[in-house]
């Protein structure tokens, strides 16, 4: 996605060979015009499928997932990382390790929001090692729902998560796939 790649090149900040900071438009401040384009692009890429739910994980996946849900007319469900007084019973749960924060969280989704009748696309901001996607896949599988695929805003293609999940048969649509962050420069796969 040309617009996204341009935004990454202009506003992204390479913090190391494995960390890209995009807080000016995705992870802290959100560019709603870009998010609308991202939602439209995911909808176009999955136009061959019937999607009944969009699933993401809090918090940075919520904006792109919401714009996709708006475009599709499908509800958006986000897995919660923190315990809630109102979310205690009848939950699907899974453990997810965060590469960026170096911590493991138990994520949860209410069983009333994903059922065996659903066709689910999973949306997330980044794909590196694939841990968040694995946790969300686990939740969809617990529900007995159908996984249509995953939409990733930025994939770190130099890490193994995307490759491993594709080898397991998961359809992954990445809007920007990074080949390298070496020497403080973002290099994309074609």
């Amino acid at each position: 996605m040309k617009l996204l790649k341009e935004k990454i090149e202009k506003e992204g900040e390479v913090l190391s060979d494995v960390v890209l900071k995009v807080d000016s438009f995705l992870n802290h401040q959100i560019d709603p015009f870009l998010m609308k384009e991202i939602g439209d692009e995911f909808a176009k890429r999955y136009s061959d499928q019937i999607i009944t739910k969009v699933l993401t994980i809090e918090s940075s996946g919520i904006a792109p997932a919401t714009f996709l849900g708006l475009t599709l007319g499908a509800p958006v469900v986000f897995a919660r990382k923190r315990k809630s007084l109102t979310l205690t019973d009848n939950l699907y749960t899974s453990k997810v390790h965060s590469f960026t924060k170096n911590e493991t969280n138990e994520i949860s989704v209410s069983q009333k929001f994903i059922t065996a009748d659903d066709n689910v696309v999973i949306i997330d901001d980044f794909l590196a090692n694939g841990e968040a996607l694995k946790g969300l896949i686990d939740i969809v599988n617990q529900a007995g729902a159908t996984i249509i695929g995953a939409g990733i805003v930025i994939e770190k293609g130099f890490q193994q998560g995307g490759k491993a999940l594709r080898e397991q048969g998961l359809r992954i649509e990445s809007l920007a796939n990074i080949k390298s962050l070496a020497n403080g420069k973002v290099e994309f796969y074609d």
Side-chain angles (χ1 to χ4, degrees):
M1 184 177 173
K2 185 175 186 246
L3 179 64
L4 175 61
K5 289 178 182 178
E6 289 170 354
K7 193 80 159 175
I8 292 167
E9 288 172 332
K10 182 179 177 189
E11 296 182 29
E13 185 180 345
V14 178
L15 299 182
S16 73
D17 287 356
V18 294
V19 179
L20 174 66
K21 185 176 181 181
V22 289
D23 65 346
S24 68
F25 61 90
L26 180 62
N27 293 125
H28 192 58
Q29 174 174 270
I30 295 169
D31 179 335
F33 301 103
L34 178 62
M35 289 305 117
K36 181 182 181 323
E37 293 298 318
I38 285 171
D40 290 348
E41 181 65 21
F42 282 137
K44 186 170 79 175
R45 292 188 184 200
Y46 281 103
S47 64
D48 61 329
Q49 300 292 320
I50 296 171
I51 296 167
T52 61
K53 293 284 170 64
V54 178
L55 176 64
T56 192
I57 190 168
E58 69 176 349
S59 64
S60 295
I62 294 173
T66 298
F67 279 89
L68 173 59
L70 183 64
T71 302
L72 296 174
V76 176
V77 179
F78 65 89
R80 299 187 70 155
K81 293 179 187 173
R82 289 162 189 71
K83 297 288 183 196
S84 166
L85 293 174
T86 62
L87 191 66
T88 57
D89 297 322
N90 303 314
L91 303 176
Y92 302 118
T93 62
S94 190
K95 294 227 185 283
V96 172
H97 183 76
S98 168
F99 169 80
T100 309
K101 296 176 184 167
N102 194 26
E103 65 185 25
T104 300
N105 291 297
E106 182 174 81
I107 61 171
S108 56
V109 170
S110 173
Q111 292 178 3
K112 69 182 176 182
F113 295 131
I114 299 180
T115 69
D117 295 330
D118 283 314
N119 295 322
V120 180
V121 68
I122 299 169
I123 300 294
D124 207 0
D125 61 338
F126 273 94
L127 170 57
N129 296 317
E131 295 301 309
L133 263 183
K134 289 176 193 171
L136 294 169
I137 289 166
D138 181 35
I139 284 175
V140 175
N141 287 337
Q142 288 176 51
T146 301
I147 299 171
I148 299 299
I152 303 299
V153 179
I154 302 169
E155 179 175 350
K156 295 179 185 175
F158 56 87
Q159 291 181 279
Q160 296 304 305
K163 181 177 186 274
L165 289 165
R166 283 181 182 96
E167 286 173 356
Q168 294 173 19
L170 181 66
R171 176 181 174 183
I172 300 175
E173 296 288 342
S174 296
L175 302 185
N177 194 341
I178 296 174
K179 185 175 188 178
S180 172
L181 294 173
N183 303 314
K185 185 176 181 329
V186 178
E187 182 182 351
F188 297 102
Y189 285 104
D190 292 332

